[in-house]
């Protein structure tokens, strides 16, 4: 089963997905008139809350929507995802993550504007947003099969298995193994005669499940309230930690940046110098990191108290910039400056952990552990909301809460599964989700263009 999941993921993330996400994003980038570059200042000003309207339909503020979306993107995709990208595609993969991020800003601008423009109502009458409602309300009932495809893939792709897996890995490496509390991969946990596998992983999985349950069973308002408090803290903590390392190796930073650009077009860092493999790795990890074009962020931005679609789109497009251009680049520099990517066999979060320990001996691993803990938990909170909305759309509001129990159970599964199977399952489902999202976004792009002209014309008179 694991081999099948890995093979499917590698197959679907070939040239067609590259054309859909990078090519489609490029079309939207030009179609928007380069809005990610021209209007980023206005987007930042919107975060002040000056234009928020508490009377508008929706459940949360635009800032809470961005915080919740960033909680799901600025996280382990930046710590583990960057490490996986460098491991699989060399430093050049980071360049293609940058390219994906800039076109991703345009994609998010369109998808999140549409999420407000074409909101629908669930079976309980609650206003909802997201690609499934955009397709049904914007394109018509005959396209509803695309909504069903999106939600089916979303139920599986938006599980917190990757976060559970990587948080377990870092807690074992930093606390349990050094303290002699982890029996390693041969440790077994038997309950009632049934072999349940590695005891430490199971214990950590059940603990994570319990913590996540406290928050997610309170609904989107509690998730958004917790995320909007945790996100600024975790970003500042991680930034300070990473900047300490970058400043320590400041003299080598220009050479590392040049290596990223050079390797992007030669692929020398990976076997055979396959540039195509470098591009695919970069695009794949960028999609996992900032989720532009996948359709997740529109679900939470669609719940924003905002009657201005373009305003929500502008706020949303800051996500890929913060996530990939800033945070992923800093993580990549840490891994490259310390040289651990060339001297260790570690993968995922353990590679970044080695970099932190080498650069900040004694306390670096603890800083990263705290960051990973906050990143992982905040992402788990937000992902539950995404999957809940997909389940709600398919089976109705009354049955939607059953999804939370399925979601919580899979956190334990993620803690004990192998990294390769976990990342392949998520990647594969993300690819399936991207197909309806990008089709509907490009189909309805003229509506966003028209609304953009109207919005900026009105803003001149404010």
């Amino acid at each position: 089963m694991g081999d099948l999941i890995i093979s499917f993921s590698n197959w679907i993330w070939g040239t067609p997905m590259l054309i859909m996400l990078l090519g489609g994003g490029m079309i939207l980038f030009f179609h928007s008139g380069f809005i990610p570059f021209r209007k980023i200042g206005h987007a930042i000003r919107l975060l002040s809350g000056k234009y928020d309207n508490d009377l508008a339909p929706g459940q949360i503020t635009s800032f809470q929507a961005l915080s919740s979306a960033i909680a799901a993107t600025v996280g382990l995709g930046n710590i583990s995802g960057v490490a996986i990208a460098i491991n699989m595609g060399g430093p050049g993969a980071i360049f293609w993550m940058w390219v994906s991020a800039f076109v991703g800003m345009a994609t998010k601008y369109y998808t999140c504007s549409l999420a407000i423009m074409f909101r629908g109502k669930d079976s309980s009458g609650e206003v909802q947003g997201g690609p499934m409602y955009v397709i049904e309300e914007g394109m018509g009932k005959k396209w509803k099969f695309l909504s069903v495809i999106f939600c089916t893939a979303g139920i599986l792709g938006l599980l917190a298995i990757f976060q559970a897996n990587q948080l377990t890995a870092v807690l074992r490496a930093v606390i349990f193994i050094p303290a002699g509390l982890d029996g390693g991969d041969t440790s077994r946990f038997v309950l009632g005669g049934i072999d349940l596998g590695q005891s430490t992983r199971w214990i950590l999985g059940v603990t994570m499940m319990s913590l996540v349950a406290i928050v997610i069973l309170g609904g989107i308002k509690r998730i958004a309230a917790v995320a909007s408090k945790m996100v600024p803290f975790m970003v500042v903590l991680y930034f300070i930690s990473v900047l300490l390392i970058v400043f320590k190796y400041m003299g080598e930073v220009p050479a590392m940046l040049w290596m990223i650009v050079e390797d992007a077009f030669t692929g020398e860092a990976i076997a055979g110098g396959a540039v195509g493999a470098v591009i695919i790795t970069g695009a794949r990890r960028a999609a996992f990191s900032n989720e532009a074009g996948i359709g997740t962020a529109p679900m939470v931005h669609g719940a924003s108290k905002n009657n201005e679609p373009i305003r929500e789109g502008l706020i949303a497009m800051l996500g890929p910039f913060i996530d990939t251009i800033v945070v992923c680049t800093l993580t990549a520099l840490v891994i490259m400056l310390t040289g651990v990517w060339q001297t260790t066999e570690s993968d995922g979060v353990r590679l970044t952990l080695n970099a932190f320990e080498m650069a900040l001996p004694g306390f670096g691993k603890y800083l990263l552990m705290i960051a990973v803990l906050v990143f992982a938990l905040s992402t788990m909170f937000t992902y539950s909301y995404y999957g809940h909305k997909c389940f709600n759309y398919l089976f109705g509001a009354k049955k939607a809460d059953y999804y939370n129990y399925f979601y919580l159970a899979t956190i334990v599964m993620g803690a004990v599964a192998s990294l390769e199977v976990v990342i392949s399952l998520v990647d594969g489902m993300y690819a399936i989700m991207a197909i309806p999202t990008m089709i509907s976004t490009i189909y309805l792009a003229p509506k966003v263009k028209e609304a953009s002209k109207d919005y900026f014309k009105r803003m001149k008179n404010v």
Side-chain angles (χ1 to χ4, degrees), residues 377-391:
L377 288 175
S378 62
T379 304
M380 288 179 188
F381 301 153
T382 309
Y383 268 29
S384 70
Y385 174 66
Y386 292 156
H388 186 275
K389 286 192 79 158
C390 291
F391 202 90

Side-chain angles (χ1 to χ4, degrees), residues 184-225:
D185 291 341
T186 58
S187 171
R188 313 308 290 175
F189 185 46
V190 179
L191 183 66
I194 301 170
D195 188 349
L196 294 178
Q198 298 143 15
S199 58
T200 309
R201 291 188 180 198
W202 279 91
I203 292 164
L204 288 171
V206 171
T207 305
M208 283 185 277
M209 179 185 74
S210 304
L211 287 171
V212 174
I214 293 167
V215 176
I216 72 167
L217 298 179
I220 181 57
K221 290 186 180 179
R222 187 183 297 175
I223 293 168

Side-chain angles (χ1 to χ4, degrees), residues 10-92:
N10 290 334
W11 169 76
I12 200 167
W13 272 101
T15 306
M17 192 51 55
L18 205 64
I19 292 169
M20 177 162 284
L21 283 177
L22 277 181
M26 199 67 79
I27 290 168
L28 295 171
F29 186 72
F30 285 107
H31 186 264
S32 72
F34 311 105
I35 269 182
F37 289 139
R38 292 192 299 110
K39 300 297 181 182
I40 194 165
H42 181 64
I44 292 168
R45 286 193 296 276
L46 289 172
L47 288 180
S48 67
K50 178 183 174 183
Y51 303 99
D52 284 357
N53 179 4
D54 289 336
L55 299 177
Q59 294 98 45
I60 54 177
T61 67
S62 294
F63 176 73
Q64 286 178 324
L66 182 65
S67 294
S68 298
I70 289 177
T73 55
V74 177
L76 288 179
N78 308 87
I79 297 175
S80 299
V82 171
I84 292 167
I86 293 174
N87 225 0
M88 292 173 63

Side-chain angles (χ1 to χ4, degrees), residues 56-283:
Q59 294 98 45
I60 54 177
T61 67
S62 294
F63 176 73
Q64 286 178 324
L66 182 65
S67 294
S68 298
I70 289 177
T73 55
V74 177
L76 288 179
N78 308 87
I79 297 175
S80 299
V82 171
I84 292 167
I86 293 174
N87 225 0
M88 292 173 63
I94 305 302
F95 177 86
W96 296 108
M97 286 182 76
W98 293 343
V99 172
S100 296
F102 277 116
V103 301
M105 287 176 74
T107 304
K108 264 209 178 154
Y109 172 71
Y110 277 84
T111 55
C112 293
S113 294
L114 288 168
I116 297 289
M117 202 177 290
F118 295 107
R119 287 201 264 207
K121 288 186 177 179
D122 63 20
S123 59
S124 68
E126 184 78 63
V127 172
Q128 301 282 6
M132 55 284 219
Y133 295 100
V134 169
I135 292 164
E136 192 174 334
E137 303 293 326
M139 297 174 71
K141 298 281 186 186
K142 64 181 178 181
W143 294 93
K144 189 174 177 176
F145 71 94
L146 289 176
S147 298
V148 174
I149 292 170
F150 175 85
C151 290
T152 304
I155 286 170
L156 294 173
L158 297 167
L159 297 171
I161 50 176
F162 176 74
Q163 288 71 28
N165 181 283
Q166 294 292 274
L167 181 53
T168 300
V170 78
L171 288 172
R172 287 179 72 202
V174 176
I175 295 176
F176 288 86
I177 293 173
L181 298 172
D182 190 302
D185 291 341
T186 58
S187 171
R188 313 308 290 175
F189 185 46
V190 179
L191 183 66
I194 301 170
D195 188 349
L196 294 178
Q198 298 143 15
S199 58
T200 309
R201 291 188 180 198
W202 279 91
I203 292 164
L204 288 171
V206 171
T207 305
M208 283 185 277
M209 179 185 74
S210 304
L211 287 171
V212 174
I214 293 167
V215 176
I216 72 167
L217 298 179
I220 181 57
K221 290 186 180 179
R222 187 183 297 175
I223 293 168
V226 174
S228 61
K229 289 179 176 66
M230 289 178 77
V231 170
F233 165 74
M234 74 180 183
V235 170
V236 169
L237 174 72
Y238 189 65
F239 256 54
I240 292 170
S241 306
V242 170
L243 288 172
L244 280 172
I245 298 171
V246 171
F247 282 131
K248 183 176 179 180
Y249 297 90
M250 184 58 80
E252 299 170 48
V253 170
M256 294 299 113
L257 291 172
W258 174 246
M259 186 191 292
I260 288 171
V261 176
E262 187 179 37
D263 191 57
F265 298 97
T266 62
E268 287 177 4
I270 61 168
V275 177
V278 179
I279 297 171
I280 287 171
T281 301

